[in-house]
Amino acid sequence: MNIQYSPGKFHPLIQVGCSSALEVTRLPTRFRLLTGTYVLQVNRCRFNQYAISAVCPNCKVEDETVEHFLLHCSALEQVRAPVMCEIWIILESMDLTKQVTSPALLAQTLIDWSIIVPHLPSYRDKTCMLEFHIRRLFFHLHTTRYRLYKRTVWKLRTSWLHGMRSRYLFSVL
C-alpha cells in the first residue's frame, strides 16, 4: 500500500495514541527508527571510519544495520522472539503475512506498518495492538542493546586500565 502524505496531515503511526505513561517512554526509540536517526554501528563507522567498526558490538557477526538490529542479532534474540510472535499473530489475523516476502520488507514493515496495512476502520483495534507490540519490541531491543554495549565497553575499559596499571607497576620496579 502506498500512502501519499501531505503537509498538515499526521502519519498513521502518530495517530495511534498512547494508553499509558510507559508507552510515552517508548516513543523516542520508535520515532528514531521511523525517521532514520537511530544511531547504529554502521552510522558511527561512516562518520569515524578509522576508530569504529561497523560490526555489531553485541554479537560480533555482521554489520549492525537496522535489519540486523531488528531481526538478526543473536544477542537480542531472547528479547525479540516472544514479541515477534505476537506481531506475527496480529499480521496473520489481518491476512498480511503473504505481503512480507523478505527480511528487508519485514524490517520496513516493523518500522512503518502503514506501507502494507490498509487504513480501514475495521483494522483500528488490530493496528493499535500492532503498534503497541512494535513499540514494545523496539524499546526492549534498544534497552537490551545498550545494556550489552555498556557491559562490553566496561570490560574493555577495565582491561585497558589493568594493562596500564601493570605497565606502571613494572616501570616503577
Side-chain angles (χ1 to χ4, degrees):
M1 170 175 236
N2 189 359
I3 299 176
Q4 296 294 324
Y5 300 106
S6 59
K9 291 191 176 186
F10 289 112
H11 189 283
L13 300 182
I14 297 172
Q15 292 176 351
V16 177
C18 296
S19 60
S20 69
L22 177 62
E23 278 196 59
V24 172
T25 63
R26 294 174 175 170
L27 285 175
T29 304
R30 175 77 171 117
F31 289 136
R32 283 188 195 120
L33 283 162
L34 180 65
T35 59
T37 57
Y38 190 82
V39 180
L40 297 164
Q41 285 301 107
V42 168
N43 307 100
R44 289 179 182 165
C45 180
R46 283 187 202 137
F47 293 109
N48 194 354
Q49 295 178 0
Y50 301 107
I52 297 174
S53 170
V55 175
C56 176
N58 297 321
C59 71
K60 297 170 182 48
V61 174
E62 60 182 284
D63 287 356
E64 189 183 39
T65 61
V66 173
E67 183 180 328
H68 172 79
F69 169 64
L70 295 178
L71 303 174
H72 304 301
C73 183
S74 58
L76 302 173
E77 185 61 31
Q78 288 183 336
V79 174
R80 179 186 311 109
V83 183
M84 281 301 294
C85 286
E86 295 292 328
I87 291 169
W88 200 253
I89 289 168
I90 294 168
L91 290 173
E92 282 178 339
S93 73
M94 299 167 84
D95 201 29
L96 298 173
T97 54
K98 296 173 194 137
Q99 294 181 28
V100 182
T101 57
S102 69
L105 188 55
L106 178 57
Q108 181 60 41
T109 301
L110 291 172
I111 291 169
D112 184 1
W113 48 259
S114 67
I115 61 171
I116 66 164
V117 176
H119 191 63
L120 300 172
S122 61
Y123 281 160
R124 177 80 178 139
D125 290 339
K126 291 179 182 182
T127 56
C128 285
M129 285 305 298
L130 181 63
E131 181 63 22
F132 168 79
H133 287 296
I134 290 173
R135 288 177 187 175
R136 189 172 132 224
L137 173 69
F138 289 176
F139 182 75
H140 289 307
L141 289 174
H142 167 76
T143 55
T144 304
R145 174 182 178 258
Y146 273 97
R147 190 181 56 218
L148 292 171
Y149 182 72
K150 284 181 181 181
R151 190 177 303 155
T152 303
V153 168
W154 180 255
K155 285 179 185 177
L156 289 173
R157 284 183 184 164
T158 54
S159 66
W160 181 80
L161 287 172
H162 180 69
M164 293 301 289
R165 194 176 308 132
S166 298
R167 286 187 206 132
Y168 175 74
L169 289 174
F170 286 123
S171 66
V172 172
L173 297 175

